[in-house]
């Protein structure tokens, strides 16, 4: 019976890992892709706008 208790945690973790991978694959693309891309683009634009301009680099 010890082998059952030794095999249960890896089997449970494998099932959960497969479920997470399936969710990740299913949520790629689809109807929400444009909305997610727009949100990422807006966040990147906001962070670029908040960054102070860098001073010109001059070499002597």
């Amino acid at each position: 019976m010890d082998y059952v208790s030794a095999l249960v945690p890896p089997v449970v973790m494998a099932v959960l890992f497969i479920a997470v991978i399936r969710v990740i694959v299913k949520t790629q693309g689809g109807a929400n892709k444009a909305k997610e891309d727009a949100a990422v683009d807006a966040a990147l634009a906001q962070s670029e706008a908040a960054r102070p301009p860098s001073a010109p680099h001059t070499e002597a």
Side-chain angles (χ1 to χ4, degrees):
M1 210 51 167
D2 288 338
Y3 63 90
V4 173
S5 62
L7 289 176
V8 169
V11 170
V12 170
M13 291 302 292
V15 169
L16 291 175
F17 180 73
I18 291 170
V20 167
I21 297 300
R22 288 187 67 199
V23 167
I24 290 171
V25 169
K26 283 185 175 185
T27 58
Q28 298 300 310
N32 290 330
K33 183 169 176 48
K35 185 169 60 172
E36 292 170 359
D37 287 346
V40 170
D41 289 341
L44 287 174
Q46 184 179 8
S47 67
E48 287 292 326
R51 181 181 298 171
S54 59
H57 182 68
T58 59
E59 293 191 25

